[in-house]
Amino acid sequence: MNLSLMHRPLKIIRCLKTRVALQQLPKEALMSKMEESKKRMAAFQQVSKEALAAMTEEAKKRTSGHLKETPLQYSPVISADTGVYVYLKLESEQVGGSFKARGAFNKASVLASKGIRRVITASTGNHGIACTLAMNSYGIECRVVIPTTADPEKKRKLEENGGHLLQLGAEGGESETHARSLADLENIFYVSPYNDYDIMAGQGTVALEILKQLPSVDAIFASVGGGGLIGGIAAYIKTKKPQCKTVEGAAGVALAAVRKCRAQLKGQRVVAVMCGANISPRTLKGIVEKFS
């Protein structure tokens, strides 16, 4: 008998009760919760870049059995176009299709060691996919709050990976507020996509691999959203190779930034982090139609 099926009705009832409770929140209460989240972020205890770099090395040890060391591929075409030696760090090849798995698996390992068996997070897609994969690997129940506007393809992937989904909020910020409220309501752990040092340390393993694969790197262009990836990369790089520049971009925008800065970077070795491959066919079609 599949014991997980016996518990599923209880999970559905619990999710439905939570959904009703959260949807009954008046707009003023929701805004108040969002302000509480901002204050919580402002009170986020700081650690030194050296301490975070050390956490990154521990994260690499923890996650090596679950994750790939992604390829660092030299691009002759982009290099010829820019006059810069451009390398692409292919996080698109990572487990789950993005760099997010690095932080998620590190966090899952830490939580499992503390005996935590239920978590909740908020995501527009990639972080949720990574968390469901990671938490399931460690036997941790993971619920994911996604916006009502979430991409259908990412929603499908979340469901395929065994995620327990709640669609609340019109956009990512509102979904995060709902998820934090749910965590407080049920006294379960909330996994932040970025505001967590274990997550940042996991993402920082990208930089650890880059230094191993290309010790002579002069600059790294990485994506910035919540700041988990760029924070983890910058802390590690600035600790281990302070002269190396870290520059914020976003996916393809990182390559655009390389082109924009090509005069200053001429002759240097630059890495652009390709943060993921989970783009929906609809979005890809729109890009192709717009720029072709």
Side-chain angles (χ1 to χ4, degrees):
M1 181 182 293
N2 188 340
L3 296 178
S4 65
L5 293 177
M6 296 173 63
H7 297 290
R8 192 167 295 169
L10 294 176
K11 291 178 181 177
I12 292 172
I13 291 169
R14 189 165 61 229
C15 287
L16 287 173
K17 285 181 177 179
T18 300
R19 183 191 294 272
V20 170
L22 291 178
Q23 286 179 336
Q24 288 175 344
L25 280 175
K27 188 173 182 179
E28 294 77 11
L30 185 59
M31 294 300 292
S32 176
K33 287 287 185 182
M34 292 180 78
E35 286 301 316
E36 287 177 17
S37 293
K38 289 179 182 178
K39 289 179 182 177
R40 190 183 286 117
M41 289 176 66
F44 192 48
Q45 185 180 1
Q46 293 188 355
V47 302
S48 67
K49 65 180 184 296
E50 292 81 8
L52 188 53
M55 290 174 66
T56 296
E57 292 176 345
E58 288 300 314
K60 183 64 175 174
K61 294 174 187 175
R62 285 194 199 99
T63 61
S64 60
H66 297 278
L67 302 177
K68 300 176 183 177
E69 182 172 301
T70 55
L72 185 67
Q73 185 170 308
Y74 176 67
S75 174
V77 173
I78 301 173
S79 298
D81 177 57
T82 59
V84 180
Y85 296 104
V86 179
Y87 296 78
L88 307 179
K89 181 63 169 165
L90 301 181
E91 288 302 290
S92 52
E93 304 307 304
Q94 188 51 271
V95 171
S98 82
F99 72 89
K100 295 283 189 178
R102 295 175 181 271
F105 271 91
N106 188 46
K107 189 65 186 180
S109 175
V110 171
L111 292 174
S113 71
K114 295 178 180 179
I116 292 174
R117 288 291 173 258
R118 292 175 61 208
V119 301
I120 188 166
T121 190
S123 173
T124 55
N126 286 336
H127 173 70
I129 292 169
C131 277
T132 54
L133 286 169
M135 301 302 165
N136 285 344
S137 294
Y138 283 90
I140 300 172
E141 178 192 326
C142 180
R143 272 183 279 170
V144 185
V145 180
I146 62 174
T148 54
T149 54
D151 182 87
E153 183 67 15
K154 289 185 178 179
K155 181 182 175 183
R156 182 185 64 78
K157 286 186 178 181
L158 279 163
E159 290 172 333
E160 285 179 354
N161 290 333
H164 304 287
L165 303 187
L166 280 171
Q167 285 195 271
L168 294 166
E171 46 80 31
E174 287 186 9
S175 295
E176 181 175 348
T177 300
H178 281 301
R180 286 187 180 277
S181 296
L182 195 156
D184 292 340
L185 190 68
E186 297 195 18
N187 194 30
I188 56 178
F189 191 89
Y190 173 74
V191 181
S192 172
Y194 46 85
N195 207 26
D196 184 302
Y197 285 122
D198 293 323
I199 295 289
M200 292 172 68
Q203 321 301 35
T205 59
V206 171
L208 185 153
E209 290 178 13
I210 290 172
L211 281 186
K212 174 186 172 185
Q213 294 164 323
L214 187 67
S216 58
V217 61
D218 296 302
I220 299 173
F221 286 73
S223 65
V224 58
L229 177 62
I230 191 69
I233 287 176
Y236 193 80
I237 287 293
K238 291 303 179 183
T239 298
K240 301 298 180 179
K241 190 174 182 180
Q243 69 273 29
C244 180
K245 303 179 185 70
T246 53
V247 185
E248 297 175 1
V253 178
L255 289 175
V258 172
R259 293 192 79 252
K260 184 177 179 180
C261 301
R262 61 185 181 273
Q264 300 99 298
L265 297 169
K266 191 162 185 171
Q268 295 187 33
R269 291 172 176 81
V270 171
V271 173
V273 179
M274 301 291 96
C275 55
N278 292 325
I279 185 170
S280 72
R282 181 181 60 183
T283 302
L284 181 59
K285 182 183 178 198
I287 292 171
V288 171
E289 290 176 347
K290 182 175 180 180
F291 294 102
S292 63

